[in-house]
Amino acid sequence: MSKRYDLIIRQGMLVCPDGVKKADVAVDDERIVEIAEEISGEAKETIDASGNYVFPGATDGHVHFNDPGRTEWETIATGSNALAAGGGVAYFDMPLNCNPCTLDAKNFNNKLAVAQRDSLVDYGFWGGLTPKNLDKLEELAECGVVGFKAFSCFSGITEFERMDDYTALVGMEKLAKLGYPLMVHCENAEIVSALTAQALANNKTTVRDYFAAHSPITEIENVSRMISYAEETGCKLIIAHVSTARAVELVTQARNRGVDVSCETIGHYLILTDDDVERMGTVAKCSPPIRDAQNQTKMWGKLFNGEFTFISSDHSPCDPKLKDGEFLKVWGGISACQTTLSSLLTHGYHERKVPLADIAKLTAQNVNEVFKIPGKGKIALGFDGDFALVDLNQEFTLQAEDLFYKHKASPYVGSTFRGNIIQTILRGKTIFKDGKVVSKPIGKHLRPLV
Ligand SMILES: NC(=O)N[C@H]1NC(=O)NC1=O
Ligand SMILES: [Zn+2]
Ligand SMILES: [Zn+2]
């Protein structure tokens, strides 16, 4: 007997964990219920995807939507719209740069209320770990955080204090017991702050002065230090936005000897170089900074080796006024959550032949597996009906007005991409189509199975 499903997507090239295949996929009651060469049943809605690729909807493991409290920078509403326009169905929001920061249950619940009202797509939240909230980790875990985030160096936000070595050790001991991962922004605080102070004192504030103050060793040293604490405590460690191939090598070596450590990288470390940043200016300032072309080539090698667990955007926008000034002094953060998938299709698949199934793992599957989010991140039976429909060969040049961010700025404005997201579907419902958001906020809170 043929069934009547909520949705059937017909004849798309499905990007499944084991490769790409032409098939139909049916969704009923928000979940994928059938995948077959030809599904005989009918549906309330049918999408003809012939000629297009169907990716699992992306999950961005690392964004700063700044809501509540810094909504003049970005909001959950605008950020989640941008994510959907880029094929995203979920994100994990960082415990800063919202205000107050997510350092206890009360502020977690404040943010949850905003997301319940305003988030177009599904969401998880990071809790923070700072010297001030070692006694709040348990309550944050009970709230349902996906993990904890800490900064080894100054975070840019005074209220979100950096994690000193004592806090790193004790925090990791506690998180190991609770069974939650810690993600660390790894840059050596003493070296970065001394070099920055010296540069400022000498009026050396150019882009190259900034790179010099955040040289590769500051990341490499701190990654190895964090690995030592993880190895000692058994805490699951994730290195945030790793920017140097040498740091990735340290992570891989540690993992090979049994340490529970993995790393995330960000699109811009694979796509832009230091010379691009010099040309583009402060819109492309981030920390750690974007490195040279030689390092970038090695980073692609690491991607081909499977050494990155997932790729995020580190979407960290600000009020444009904060990007206006001398390079060393302005806000560090890049707006990118709308372009990660298209970037990887352009520079990964088309330029370097990265398999599409690997791109799907890096943008959707792995991040949900690492954080134990059930039922999300791949095109498989029983999983959420989350899809990004992609015209793989369609080229487009990104215009500022295409961006759904609160502030229409990004280093990628003016770049030409190959691989356009034409439709995004969250749990069976179309939320973005042909350049427009077509749904009210329907996001729900994602809790890990810890
Ligand atoms: N506070 C904040 O968002 N910092 C982020 N920006 C950036 O470029 N790197 C970060 O960690
Ligand atoms: Zn960071
Ligand atoms: Zn970040």
Side-chain angles (χ1 to χ4, degrees):
M1 203 184 76
S2 70
K3 302 188 195 81
R4 189 171 153 82
Y5 295 125
D6 286 339
L7 170 70
I8 298 179
I9 303 174
R10 293 202 182 272
Q11 294 304 293
M13 300 295 285
L14 303 190
V15 184
C16 298
D18 53 350
V20 181
K21 57 186 173 200
K22 189 169 191 173
D24 293 351
V25 56
V27 177
D28 206 47
D29 205 9
E30 304 195 341
R31 302 253 167 84
I32 297 171
V33 289
E34 194 175 345
I35 300 170
E37 265 179 39
E38 201 183 326
I39 293 175
S40 60
E42 295 166 49
K44 290 178 199 153
E45 185 188 357
T46 301
I47 296 170
D48 175 9
S50 50
N52 291 325
Y53 284 73
V54 183
F55 282 77
T59 295
D60 193 329
H62 186 155
V63 301
H64 303 260
F65 285 164
N66 311 325
D67 202 350
R70 275 193 188 80
T71 51
E72 66 281 15
W73 292 12
E74 191 72 279
T75 61
I76 282 178
T78 48
S80 64
N81 283 354
L83 209 76
V89 296
Y91 60 90
F92 302 158
D93 190 60
M94 283 293 163
L96 72 165
N97 318 321
C98 50
N99 187 14
C101 298
T102 316
L103 293 169
D104 58 25
K106 177 169 165 273
N107 289 315
F108 178 99
N109 287 320
N110 282 342
K111 189 190 281 191
L112 183 63
V114 178
Q116 282 168 338
R117 188 188 68 204
D118 291 348
S119 188
L120 178 62
V121 303
D122 291 349
Y123 48 87
F125 295 142
W126 290 91
L129 166 62
T130 75
K132 294 278 165 60
N133 81 329
L134 278 165
D135 59 340
K136 306 284 190 216
L137 307 183
E138 210 151 6
E139 68 178 57
L140 282 162
E142 275 164 25
C143 289
V145 294
V146 295
F148 290 80
K149 170 75 185 294
F151 274 70
S152 290
C153 59
F154 176 55
S155 74
I157 301 286
T158 315
E159 319 84 82
F160 197 91
E161 284 180 36
R162 80 172 198 88
M163 175 178 72
D164 55 81
D165 286 342
Y166 168 81
T167 305
L169 180 62
V170 176
M172 284 200 221
E173 278 167 0
K174 285 177 183 280
L175 293 179
K177 281 202 193 97
L178 290 169
Y180 281 78
L182 178 66
M183 178 185 266
V184 184
H185 174 127
C186 292
E187 290 184 281
N188 180 298
E190 287 184 16
I191 301 175
V192 169
S193 64
L195 291 176
T196 302
Q198 217 174 75
L200 287 170
N202 294 314
N203 232 345
K204 297 183 80 170
T205 58
T206 68
V207 55
R208 294 287 163 189
D209 298 323
Y210 175 71
F211 293 157
H214 292 252
S215 63
I217 186 61
T218 63
E219 175 177 79
I220 293 160
E221 184 282 336
N222 197 251
V223 166
S224 68
R225 189 192 305 211
M226 290 305 131
I227 288 171
S228 304
Y229 297 135
E231 188 158 24
E232 183 68 18
T233 61
C235 179
K236 183 186 188 74
L237 174 66
I238 300 164
I239 307 299
H241 47 50
V242 70
S243 69
T244 58
R246 175 69 186 137
V248 181
E249 209 168 287
L250 295 172
V251 170
T252 301
Q253 284 166 359
R255 193 167 50 238
N256 288 345
R257 65 173 189 267
V259 185
D260 191 351
V261 58
S262 53
C263 60
E264 158 207 63
T265 195
I266 308 297
H268 37 257
Y269 298 118
L270 294 163
I271 292 157
L272 304 177
T273 64
D274 54 350
D275 293 340
D276 293 324
V277 179
E278 187 160 29
R279 186 168 44 80
M280 293 169 164
T282 59
V283 73
K285 179 179 176 181
C286 63
S287 73
I290 291 163
R291 313 291 183 181
D292 62 20
Q294 205 183 3
N295 176 68
Q296 192 199 70
T297 302
K298 291 184 191 157
M299 292 286 277
W300 281 104
K302 299 290 180 199
L303 185 146
F304 276 104
N305 281 343
E307 292 180 71
F308 300 120
T309 305
F310 56 99
I311 297 180
S312 315
S313 70
D314 195 7
H315 182 73
S316 178
C318 65
D319 187 317
K321 290 199 282 286
L322 298 176
K323 284 285 195 185
D324 190 12
E326 292 160 81
F327 198 96
L328 192 83
K329 296 180 182 171
V330 302
W331 176 257
I334 287 180
S335 294
C337 74
Q338 196 174 320
T339 47
T340 305
L341 184 53
S342 282
S343 297
L344 291 174
L345 296 174
T346 307
H347 301 281
Y349 173 71
H350 287 298
E351 222 172 280
R352 295 180 173 83
K353 307 281 171 275
V354 176
L356 294 178
D358 289 358
I359 292 177
K361 283 177 190 141
L362 287 165
T363 56
Q365 183 179 338
N366 295 356
V367 65
N368 284 291
E369 286 179 357
V370 166
F371 296 96
K372 302 193 177 115
I373 305 297
K376 273 196 121 58
K378 61 183 176 187
I379 300 179
L381 291 181
F383 276 67
D384 283 0
D386 294 340
F387 310 101
L389 266 60
V390 172
D391 183 336
L392 198 56
N393 287 306
Q394 189 175 93
E395 288 195 352
F396 67 99
T397 300
L398 187 73
Q399 310 292 328
E401 59 267 28
D402 299 335
L403 295 170
F404 284 80
Y405 310 147
K406 179 145 203 171
H407 302 289
K408 317 292 177 200
S410 160
Y412 298 111
V413 169
S415 294
T416 297
F417 293 87
R418 186 166 170 207
N420 195 18
I421 286 82
I422 51 183
Q423 188 164 348
T424 307
I425 296 162
L426 169 59
R427 290 181 271 108
K429 187 174 189 315
T430 295
I431 55 172
F432 171 84
K433 191 178 177 191
D434 298 332
K436 293 194 179 66
V437 170
V438 294
S439 164
K440 291 198 184 72
I442 57 164
K444 69 169 194 197
H445 182 213
L446 302 173
R447 293 180 70 110
L449 284 177
V450 179

